[in-house]
Amino acid sequence: MSSRVPSVYFLFIAVILFNATLAVSQESPPELKLPKIGLVLEGGGALGLAHIGVLQWLEEHHVPISYVAGTSMGGLVGGIYATGNSPTEIRDLVHEIDWDVVLRGEIRFRDLSYRRKEDAVEYPNSLEFGLKKGIQFPEGFNSGHQVGLLLDRISLPYSEMKTFDDLPTPFACVATDLVTAKPHVFRDGSLAQALRSTMSLPGIFSPVRTSESIFVDGGLLDNLPVDVAQEMGSDLVIAVQLQSRDLKPAASLSSLGVLGQSISVVIAANELRSMQKAHILISVPLTEYNSMEYEKEDALIQEGYKAAASKAAVLSAFSVDDAGWQEYLDKRHARRREIPAPQFVEVIGTKPSLARDMERQLSINSGKPVDTATLDRQLTNFAGVGRYSRLGYRMVERDNQQGLLILADEKQYAPPIVRPLILIDGGEYNNVQFVLGARITFFDRGSVGSEWRNDVAIGSQYGVQSEFYRPFGGTHRWFVAPRAFATNSRAVYYQGGTLISDYRNRQAGGAFDVGYSFNKTGELRIGYEIANQKFYPSEGPATLGTLQGRVGKTSLRYNFIDRDNAIVPRSGSDLHFRAQWTDATPGATSGFPVTEIQMNLFKPVKKPSSAFFAAQGGTSFTYHQTGVPPFSLGGNQNLVAYGTNEFLTNQYFLFKAGYLHELLKLQPIVGEKLYAIVGFEAAKVYGLSNVSSLPMDAFGGLVVNTFFGPVLVGGAYGATGHHKVFFRLGRLF
């Protein structure tokens, strides 16, 4: 209880004592009217899950709540409760949430379109910005798509309500308006938008924009909105405060930690004012937890329950009997709404042509009750194309008909979308190679669904490539893809740990492909490439000679990507196949065929661990006069204990097996996880002298998946005495 208890509480206690006295002398004491109780729930990230335990105790002890007000996570829990869900239903909902996915804000890799999967594999990091109005970065690490779908699902039955007072329990939540620099209290409008606004932590979640406001987390100005509950009509306010961990003077802080702690100081100041206004204060001791430990939901809920129980002597005064409690539940249930079956689907927020295409694909949702799980998957698939920051939905009335309104929020900063690239190859620690680059993608240049993809690179490799992807046909599965390129890359060749050649490979040319896209997992292409090539030594002896001339290739390529993660896969598989006829290349005496296949399998062993297997092979079908041999092994990706490009061959087989074990989970906004990795490789190479024809090695190391991409540091030992310490930033598989 706060130190300064308002007079209404004293008055209510006096009424209780007065009626208790009357009960001694009268057979039928007058009925006591309970005050309207307002429950106020504080924000606090994962700590806010403790509110579920408080609600559970209040319901078990028949304490009726007339109003709910909350901020941030308190607003989310309070909003779910206000829509008529019981604490048990809220707990079940929380258990279903994959908090890593929700907090990272990324679309699951398997939900991306095939071309976005290519981007994520070839540009393995979490960086992205746009050039729509100059260089512009996202407004937050998390666009809010996943959490938005959750809130839309909760709010859908109440899309058409006039005010939040019409909910089963009247509700309000608080956000901060950056335009007015004042708190904004949501008591009407879109419930989903209100909930998104109240929990949009600055810099983490993208703010919620309207025509007049920009909303972020309400905790900055009113994290414990006791004043709001009073304004709603509460006679007595029960406030739930979350006691977080104190900062020690000797504590080490990252830049993000300093930002988070600074926000906490601002929040603590406005909390104190609100705590003094509450009639009853339930303080939940959560000093052993932090605001990001969502996986400890059960423990947090239990802490909330125990904190409410510690106030039983005071709270029980407001309990009602079984009949009164049933009446309260019946009234709440009577105000619950069902989702009407939409008679149409309408899309807003994007180009008319794109809206029409989305409406056509979503039309299966009309004329029947909304299956929110199916709708969530459909909208996530649209988001997986890369154009939208988020998609959401609500009910709307048009011409006396209920319909499903889809809200598409295009990225404020794009297109074009820029994915930067940072690759550092320390396979030879005394000859480190690096590449800085970017992929710049434009949408709908010339036709809906088309993409103009441009790649640039500098460093050990210089190059530009531009491809225009143009789908056609009723389903947009068929496509044509002309491209042009110019590259100048470094190629180093080692033998026995000694650099024997340092070459540059310069090419310029173009290609034209026709292909078919297999939904989100694969692509088949056939095409012809023509270029001019010069392969020449930049330093050292011309071991391979100097080659220059025309290149001509007809190729058939099939790529299949069905892993669960672009960077550190735990399950799924990949398949890459190419068959080509080279009619001309410098150094070749005639045309020749080449076929290569690569397969990867990722299999979870148990929750923190997984195994991976790879098999690949290639052949030129006994053709040996092919200029520079078409296959190369050795280095950081394959046979890592051996020198870079130590095995140049016209035919090979390679097998790999390994084990990946999760060691440490990082904060979602900083990185993913720290892993230990071990593996074994064995190969068979043909037509080479002075090297082993059966190279094998074992390797091990640590992998941390950072914002800039995966970093691997390890060591390897080969069967013929080869060994090395290596590192790399970039692709892991």
Side-chain angles (χ1 to χ4, degrees):
M1 191 180 303
S2 61
S3 58
R4 183 173 63 87
V5 182
S7 58
V8 66
Y9 182 64
F10 282 127
L11 177 61
F12 181 69
I13 296 298
V15 171
I16 293 176
L17 294 174
F18 177 71
N19 280 275
T21 303
L22 288 177
V24 176
S25 58
Q26 299 180 23
E27 292 185 2
S28 301
E31 181 182 353
L32 174 65
K33 184 178 180 181
L34 289 173
K36 293 182 178 179
I37 298 174
L39 180 66
V40 178
L41 305 179
E42 180 180 74
L47 305 183
L49 297 175
H51 294 314
I52 302 172
V54 174
L55 287 167
Q56 182 181 345
W57 191 94
L58 293 175
E59 287 222 340
E60 287 180 3
H61 293 80
H62 296 183
V63 178
I65 302 301
S66 300
Y67 305 99
V68 177
T71 298
S72 196
M73 182 58 76
L76 175 60
V77 173
I80 299 174
Y81 180 74
T83 57
N85 290 282
S86 69
T88 299
E89 290 172 318
I90 301 174
R91 181 196 287 263
D92 292 342
L93 177 63
V94 166
H95 282 159
E96 294 174 5
I97 298 173
D98 187 333
W99 289 105
D100 283 347
V101 173
V102 169
L103 295 174
R104 288 181 66 85
E106 299 175 350
I107 305 299
R108 292 178 191 267
F109 184 71
R110 282 194 166 119
D111 292 326
L112 296 177
S113 68
Y114 175 75
R115 290 180 67 80
R116 298 295 78 78
K117 286 179 179 176
E118 280 188 320
D119 293 344
V121 171
E122 295 172 17
Y123 289 73
N125 57 63
S126 301
L127 301 171
E128 180 181 287
F129 60 92
L131 299 174
K132 190 173 185 177
K133 298 177 181 178
I135 296 177
Q136 188 176 0
F137 288 87
E139 295 177 319
F141 289 104
N142 191 325
S143 67
H145 174 74
Q146 299 292 350
V147 72
L149 292 178
L150 170 65
L151 301 179
D152 290 339
R153 189 193 331 156
I154 294 165
S155 306
L156 187 60
Y158 305 97
S159 299
E160 296 294 298
M161 66 181 175
K162 303 295 184 184
T163 169
F164 295 174
D165 288 342
D166 294 337
L167 288 166
T169 298
F171 171 72
C173 62
V174 181
T176 300
D177 188 346
L178 296 181
V179 175
T180 64
K182 295 179 180 179
H184 180 91
V185 180
F186 286 93
R187 294 190 62 184
D188 55 25
S190 167
L191 178 60
Q193 185 181 72
L195 295 176
R196 283 183 57 226
S197 299
T198 191
M199 60 183 299
S200 291
L201 191 64
I204 307 302
F205 288 98
S206 298
V208 177
R209 291 177 173 267
T210 68
S211 59
E212 299 179 349
S213 300
I214 303 175
F215 296 118
V216 296
D217 196 294
L220 297 177
L221 298 178
D222 196 357
N223 198 44
L224 190 65
V226 172
D227 53 337
V228 174
Q230 292 170 335
E231 292 168 4
M232 295 171 74
S234 301
D235 298 321
L236 185 139
V237 175
I238 301 172
V240 183
Q241 186 252 345
L242 309 171
Q243 295 180 0
S244 58
R245 185 179 303 166
D246 293 331
L247 182 67
K248 303 297 182 183
S252 60
L253 293 172
S254 64
S255 57
L256 286 174
V258 172
L259 174 61
Q261 195 62 35
S262 300
I263 293 174
S264 297
V265 170
V266 174
I267 291 173
N270 70 65
E271 282 176 5
L272 183 60
R273 294 191 297 269
S274 295
M275 289 162 60
Q276 293 172 342
K277 297 177 183 178
H279 300 89
I280 300 175
L281 183 66
I282 301 175
S283 291
V284 187
L286 299 172
T287 56
E288 299 302 315
Y289 306 89
N290 67 57
S291 61
M292 300 301 293
E293 292 182 309
Y294 290 89
E295 71 280 3
K296 296 183 179 179
E297 53 203 32
D298 288 330
L300 290 164
I301 292 171
Q302 186 61 29
E303 292 293 344
Y305 186 93
K306 290 191 295 185
S310 71
K311 294 284 186 177
V314 177
L315 295 173
S316 295
F318 309 106
S319 298
V320 298
D321 58 22
D322 291 345
W325 182 249
Q326 189 59 50
E327 180 182 358
Y328 167 76
L329 293 179
D330 290 343
K331 287 180 179 179
R332 258 176 57 93
H333 184 75
R335 292 162 67 94
R336 294 191 69 163
R337 298 187 182 184
E338 299 296 329
I339 305 173
Q343 300 305 306
F344 63 89
V345 177
E346 179 182 348
V347 178
I348 62 172
T350 189
K351 296 179 180 179
S353 56
L354 294 172
R356 287 192 297 270
D357 184 59
M358 291 173 67
E359 288 170 357
R360 177 184 59 79
Q361 296 185 55
L362 294 170
S363 61
I364 62 172
N365 294 284
S366 62
K368 60 183 180 181
V370 177
D371 181 345
T372 55
T374 298
L375 182 58
D376 286 356
R377 286 195 298 271
Q378 290 175 309
L379 297 186
T380 298
N381 287 341
F382 287 123
V385 174
R387 175 192 301 274
Y388 307 101
S389 59
R390 69 171 301 270
L391 292 103
Y393 54 90
R394 62 182 176 88
M395 299 300 298
V396 67
E397 186 174 322
R398 299 274 192 269
D399 301 324
N400 296 320
Q401 283 190 326
Q402 289 290 323
L404 189 62
L405 182 67
I406 307 299
L407 303 101
D409 291 342
E410 294 197 354
K411 293 178 177 178
Q412 296 283 330
Y413 55 90
I417 294 172
V418 181
R419 289 190 67 109
L421 177 69
I422 305 173
L423 295 178
I424 301 176
D425 185 348
E428 308 295 340
Y429 56 83
N430 59 349
N431 195 354
V432 177
Q433 300 191 54
F434 75 96
V435 175
L436 299 178
R439 171 164 287 176
I440 308 167
T441 304
F442 296 83
F443 294 109
D444 303 328
R445 291 301 173 114
S447 64
V448 174
S450 65
E451 293 183 12
W452 181 24
R453 175 191 280 176
N454 302 275
D455 296 291
V456 295
I458 60 173
S460 301
Q461 173 181 328
Y462 295 88
V464 294
Q465 177 171 283
S466 184
E467 178 191 73
F468 181 71
Y469 175 89
R470 170 67 160 84
F472 63 90
T475 60
H476 280 197
R477 294 289 184 86
W478 292 97
F479 65 88
V480 295
R483 71 182 186 277
F485 58 89
T487 62
N488 189 330
S489 58
R490 186 185 183 196
V492 295
Y493 299 92
Y494 279 76
Q495 193 169 89
T498 303
L499 178 66
I500 59 172
S501 297
D502 192 342
Y503 269 72
R504 302 297 301 187
N505 185 11
R506 189 176 68 196
Q507 293 192 60
F512 187 89
D513 292 338
V514 178
Y516 184 84
S517 176
F518 296 92
N519 202 358
K520 297 182 293 185
T521 57
E523 180 183 87
L524 179 69
R525 290 184 178 219
I526 185 170
Y528 186 76
E529 175 184 313
I530 187 170
N532 182 272
Q533 179 184 27
K534 183 177 181 180
F535 186 78
Y536 61 96
S538 60
E539 293 183 20
T543 308
L544 302 173
T546 297
L547 304 174
Q548 184 172 4
R550 186 180 77 87
V551 175
K553 301 176 183 177
T554 302
S555 62
L556 174 70
R557 286 166 289 161
Y558 173 69
N559 291 313
F560 173 82
I561 304 175
D562 191 34
R563 58 172 76 171
D564 67 332
N565 188 285
I567 300 171
V568 186
R570 300 287 300 280
S571 66
S573 59
D574 294 346
L575 173 65
H576 306 282
F577 170 81
R578 68 181 173 110
Q580 67 185 41
W581 174 261
T582 301
D583 58 72
T585 192
T589 57
S590 65
F592 60 91
V594 169
T595 295
E596 185 176 32
I597 187 168
Q598 301 175 0
M599 297 176 288
N600 297 297
L601 176 65
F602 308 96
K603 187 74 174 176
V605 178
K606 50 186 178 180
K607 189 171 184 180
S609 306
S610 60
F612 58 90
F613 308 91
Q616 60 189 72
T619 180
S620 60
F621 299 96
T622 72
Y623 285 80
H624 298 290
Q625 302 301 317
T626 58
V628 178
F631 309 114
S632 173
L633 300 177
N636 249 356
Q637 291 292 337
N638 294 311
L639 296 177
V640 294
Y642 294 81
T644 301
N645 297 323
E646 186 161 339
F647 302 94
L648 292 177
T649 180
N650 289 287
Q651 183 168 299
Y652 81 97
F653 298 99
L654 174 72
F655 302 93
K656 184 186 300 186
Y659 182 77
L660 197 66
H661 182 76
E662 177 187 327
L663 297 176
L664 182 65
K665 194 172 185 179
L666 304 177
Q667 298 289 1
I669 61 172
V670 176
E672 189 185 35
K673 297 171 183 176
L674 174 68
Y675 301 90
I677 185 172
V678 294
F680 174 78
E681 300 174 292
K684 171 65 177 175
V685 294
Y686 294 83
L688 299 181
S689 58
N690 301 323
V691 296
S692 170
S693 63
L694 290 170
M696 293 181 287
D697 68 8
F699 62 89
L702 295 175
V703 180
V704 57
N705 191 9
T706 72
F707 195 66
F708 299 97
V711 178
L712 170 62
V713 178
Y717 191 88
T720 53
H722 287 72
H723 57 86
K724 69 167 64 170
V725 175
F726 63 92
F727 66 91
R728 67 174 176 261
L729 168 64
R731 303 179 186 104
L732 185 61
F733 292 100

